[in-house]
Amino acid sequence: MSDALVDVQNVSIRYRVGDCQAIGLKEYVMRKLTHRYRVEEFCAVKDVSLQIFTGDMLGIVGVNGSGKSTLLKAISGIMRPTEGTIVTRGKIAALLELGSGFDGDLTVKENTFLRGALLGYQRQFIQDAYRDIIEFAGLEEFEDRPFRQLSSGMQARLAFSIASMVQPEILILDEVLSVGDGAFQKKSEQKMRSVIQAGATTILVSHSTAQVREMCTKVLWLDKGNQMMFGDTQMVCDAYEKFLGEL
């Protein structure tokens, strides 16, 4: 048995798409009866294989629409692969959609506890960590304000601060180190380094190859769902940057 914390073997993920969303139920039934209804498949991820081990930090690069976020959702358990297998060992913390899980009418403090509960934290854990969460997000003056009054950047900072308080075995980050201003991005990167140094195996999606070069031990390059390269950070980043220069 492999001792990889994340073991992805020959994974493909396909969506069934058709034209039913643009028509009514009656028209859908008529088209089905007359064999004029089309169902097609879109392959978002095609035959991807990789393994990452304790202490690894995997960077995933690729242009928009290359299947990065879809693969992360499958690894985190939100989606099931159409083909292949994904085996993970350990507690997963996935920071995929920072803006979800909040109520605009509740205060920042109330939303902190709500979001923490959705992430599976015990109330006492959030109570103990609350001051650190608010201070890290820089929202000390906004605790009693309705969440909807925060800017999108402030909302993302709060989401990141809440989620980063956990100490998982596997940490999945989808473009979350690019939230907020430059100062907060630097602080976020430092926080992630401390989580990684505590033993978390990490998967990072980033459009910054400089960030990937600096932080990651392995890199996966996806293009239109295809696995172009997987392996040494500098080698894969060199090839990916050359590819971008030729677009």
Side-chain angles (χ1 to χ4, degrees), residues 8-235:
V8 177
Q9 294 297 323
N10 306 114
V11 164
S12 295
I13 302 170
R14 291 192 294 271
Y15 299 100
R16 297 190 69 183
V17 295
D19 56 7
C20 64
Q21 293 183 342
I23 62 177
L25 177 61
K26 181 178 178 180
E27 181 65 17
Y28 164 74
V29 173
M30 291 301 297
R31 291 191 188 185
K32 286 284 284 185
L33 291 173
T34 57
H35 305 289
R36 292 187 298 111
Y37 176 69
R38 301 187 309 276
V39 175
E40 300 173 355
E41 284 192 334
F42 168 70
C43 196
V45 174
K46 306 171 187 176
D47 197 27
V48 170
S49 296
L50 61 91
Q51 290 183 319
I52 54 175
F53 299 84
T54 302
D56 275 344
M57 183 162 187
L58 171 69
I60 303 181
V61 297
V63 299
N64 290 336
S66 60
K68 304 184 299 296
S69 294
T70 299
L71 180 60
L72 289 191
K73 289 177 181 177
I75 293 173
S76 64
I78 296 173
M79 300 178 64
R80 286 187 176 183
T82 309
E83 296 174 1
T85 60
I86 298 176
V87 177
T88 59
R89 296 176 175 88
K91 183 177 180 180
I92 298 175
L95 281 69
L96 302 179
E97 297 176 358
L98 291 180
S100 63
F102 291 109
D103 186 324
D105 293 327
L106 297 180
T107 66
V108 168
K109 183 173 184 177
E110 290 167 337
N111 267 291
T112 300
F113 282 87
L114 172 63
R115 175 78 172 192
L118 291 174
L119 290 172
Y121 298 170
Q122 296 293 324
R123 181 176 179 83
Q124 187 59 52
F125 177 87
I126 296 296
Q127 188 75 54
D128 294 341
Y130 175 74
R131 186 50 49 194
D132 289 336
I133 291 170
I134 292 298
E135 289 179 358
F136 187 88
L139 297 176
E140 297 94 328
E141 298 178 8
F142 299 88
E143 295 179 61
D144 298 319
R145 298 247 191 119
F147 183 78
R148 64 175 181 273
Q149 292 183 5
L150 300 185
S151 69
S152 58
M154 294 164 77
Q155 292 176 7
R157 277 161 35 199
L158 178 63
F160 179 89
S161 183
I162 296 168
S164 65
M165 290 298 150
V166 72
Q167 289 291 336
E169 283 80 28
I170 302 168
L171 180 65
I172 299 177
L173 310 170
D174 190 359
E175 286 292 342
V176 300
L177 297 186
S178 61
V179 304
D181 57 23
F184 188 79
Q185 288 178 27
K186 185 174 182 180
K187 188 163 66 169
S188 300
E189 202 168 295
Q190 291 171 343
K191 177 65 177 178
M192 287 302 95
R193 287 183 189 280
S194 70
V195 173
I196 294 162
Q197 288 169 0
T201 295
T202 309
I203 302 175
L204 169 69
V205 165
S206 176
H207 283 293
S208 169
T209 52
Q211 187 178 68
V212 170
R213 284 181 188 275
E214 183 183 354
M215 298 187 69
C216 298
T217 59
K218 297 177 179 177
V219 177
L220 170 68
W221 169 19
L222 295 177
D223 184 57
K224 298 178 181 177
N226 296 294
Q227 180 170 327
M228 305 299 288
M229 292 181 72
F230 169 64
D232 175 74
T233 296
Q234 305 307 326
M235 182 176 65

